[in-house]
Amino acid sequence: MITLINGDGIGPEISDAVVKIIEASGLKIDWDVQTAGEDVIAAEGTPLPQRVLDSVRRNKTALKAPVTTPIGKGFRSVNVQLRKELDLYASLRPCKNLPNIKTKFENVDIVVVRENTEDLYAGIERKTDENTAESVKIITRSASERIAEFAFDYAVKNGRKEVCAVTKANICKLSDGLFLEAFRKIAARYPQVKSNEILVDNLCMQLVLKPENFDVLVLPNLYGDIVSDLTAGLIGGLGVAQGANIGADYAVFEPVHGSAPDIKGQNKANPAALLLSALEMLRYIGENKYAEKIERALFKTFSDGIFTCDLGGNASAAQFTDAVISRLAGE
Ligand code: NAI
């Protein structure tokens, strides 16, 4: 069984589309569907009921559609809470050019590995006086070593050539310095993978000049958050940006984008980012054959020029989904 958190906003629409496409591929998945987010607050008093966490703990693997973070209602982000509760310490965001999706950049094939549990996201902030605020950036040796290990393991398993650590260690000498020290220690255990280091400001410039020069990037939480949106932009934006949050025991696959309330219920939401996340999930559970089959059908759909409006096309979400399904038939 696999947990399906179908989210809110456009979440249920794109979840339905992805379930339909996977079903049409011939792969039978027993989904444990769990609702979460705004739509369950009234009945259950929280956007993340315990049953959702229990389900992921039981099934170990989840596909998650986006969930709205209500502003000013006192609820913590469902996404941050999930990552914390399940210790999903690695955020994995592969960004590769897709067929027939024209961007200003070619030959992009970058994997962003972001540390998900600490840094400025520890939420330790205070006002020291009326005119001064401080935020605490926490970097630990153990979290830095395990994210570096995750990045190198990923590189080995996926035939990647280089892992590059991204920091601002020239300024944050102690905190980013520790991240880098941990990276160097782990890198020494992987002589078959090249290791490299770059400062985050230089990386940003290089990414928009020569993105083809980068392979696997490993970053502390905040730089990872910002850089992974930048790399999503290199390949066509949120409609096609996939992701996953992975820990030692559980893995939750989810797109980078949010619940897009502005297009909810309008048959416009592009299911491709959730579908690409689901394909990574299928590879993770060993269903590579079906992942490849669905990917070929998706790429054919793009190659045939069928796009939803976020990518400049005029297909509705339903037409796009049907187009992928009809191309599965020839696979
Ligand atoms: P958003 O990603 O939902 O939307 C930004 C823009 O991209 C909007 O114009 C939207 O229409 C468009 N867009 C996003 N996904 C699309 C898709 N699949 N197809 C076509 N267009 C798409 O970001 P926003 O508006 O900042 O956030 C909305 C809500 O989502 C917030 O409550 C936020 O907290 C939540 N959120 C949830 C995430 C998650 O569940 N992992 C991640 C990011 C935001």
Side-chain angles (χ1 to χ4, degrees):
M1 239 186 193
I2 290 177
T3 301
L4 174 65
I5 303 169
N6 61 359
D8 59 23
I10 60 167
E13 303 165 36
I14 56 175
S15 303
D16 286 353
V18 168
V19 166
K20 235 171 111 179
I21 292 168
I22 293 178
E23 211 170 271
S25 78
L27 177 64
K28 173 105 194 66
I29 289 189
D30 211 354
W31 297 105
D32 180 3
V33 181
Q34 296 288 330
T35 48
E38 282 198 317
D39 306 343
V40 308
I41 295 177
E44 303 186 58
T46 165
L48 181 62
Q50 185 60 38
R51 62 174 167 75
V52 181
L53 290 166
D54 291 344
S55 166
V56 183
R57 288 202 171 100
R58 218 169 33 241
N59 299 319
K60 314 272 188 227
T61 307
L63 180 64
K64 178 182 160 296
V67 175
T68 304
T69 299
I71 295 173
K73 290 189 192 159
F75 293 110
R76 286 187 61 200
S77 155
V78 165
N79 309 303
V80 174
Q81 225 177 318
L82 253 182
R83 287 167 204 164
K84 210 173 166 81
E85 289 281 338
L86 303 172
D87 196 23
L88 304 171
Y89 67 86
S91 161
L92 183 67
R93 290 180 174 179
C95 279
K96 190 173 174 178
N97 283 119
L98 293 160
N100 205 20
I101 297 187
K102 304 255 181 311
T103 70
K104 296 192 176 94
F105 306 94
E106 283 174 5
N107 303 318
V108 180
D109 186 4
I110 298 170
V111 177
V112 177
V113 177
R114 164 187 169 193
E115 203 290 322
N116 234 353
T117 65
E118 52 182 34
D119 196 351
L120 284 163
Y121 294 71
I124 306 170
E125 282 197 304
R126 63 174 186 150
K127 276 231 162 139
T128 47
D129 65 47
E130 206 185 315
N131 300 309
T132 316
E134 58 184 32
S135 300
V136 180
K137 173 176 164 114
I138 301 214
I139 301 285
T140 64
R141 190 181 302 280
S142 57
S144 304
E145 285 186 2
R146 76 174 172 170
I147 198 67
E149 205 168 327
F150 182 95
F152 279 101
D153 273 347
Y154 181 91
V156 170
K157 281 185 197 135
N158 293 278
R160 315 288 305 208
K161 301 216 159 26
E162 179 185 283
V163 179
C164 181
V166 184
T167 67
K168 191 73 184 165
N170 55 334
I171 301 298
C172 300
K173 292 182 196 300
L174 293 182
S175 53
D176 283 7
L178 180 56
F179 186 88
L180 209 48
E181 198 181 307
F183 172 79
R184 288 174 184 160
K185 177 180 160 191
I186 301 298
R189 289 191 204 148
Y190 293 84
Q192 69 274 46
V193 182
K194 206 175 149 216
S195 76
N196 205 349
E197 298 167 9
I198 191 167
L199 296 176
V200 65
D201 40 353
N202 185 18
L203 172 79
C204 290
M205 180 189 68
Q206 299 291 343
L207 278 175
V208 294
L209 287 177
K210 290 185 176 173
E212 67 276 10
N213 285 354
F214 295 93
D215 193 341
V216 178
L217 303 174
V218 60
L219 314 88
N221 209 341
L222 182 64
Y223 310 141
D225 190 1
I226 298 165
V227 167
S228 60
D229 268 33
L230 193 164
T231 52
L234 298 177
I235 58 154
L238 288 175
V240 289
Q242 57 164 309
N245 291 296
I246 299 178
D249 302 314
Y250 314 108
V252 177
F253 294 80
E254 61 175 327
V256 173
H257 66 73
S259 57
D262 54 332
I263 56 166
K264 177 184 172 182
Q266 294 172 30
N267 200 11
K268 281 184 183 169
N270 187 353
L274 183 65
L275 182 60
L276 286 163
S277 310
L279 298 188
E280 271 310 295
M281 183 194 77
L282 295 185
R283 293 185 179 105
Y284 179 83
I285 60 169
E287 296 289 0
N288 298 51
K289 193 182 90 190
Y290 287 98
E292 306 309 324
K293 179 176 174 181
I294 299 169
E295 188 176 87
R296 283 195 298 274
L298 174 68
F299 286 1
K300 259 191 214 160
T301 309
F302 289 149
S303 297
D304 291 342
I306 299 169
F307 296 113
T308 44
C309 56
D310 56 303
L311 290 172
N314 53 18
S316 69
Q319 285 166 337
F320 182 82
T321 303
D322 289 344
V324 177
I325 289 172
S326 69
R327 281 158 185 78
L328 271 172
E331 285 298 326

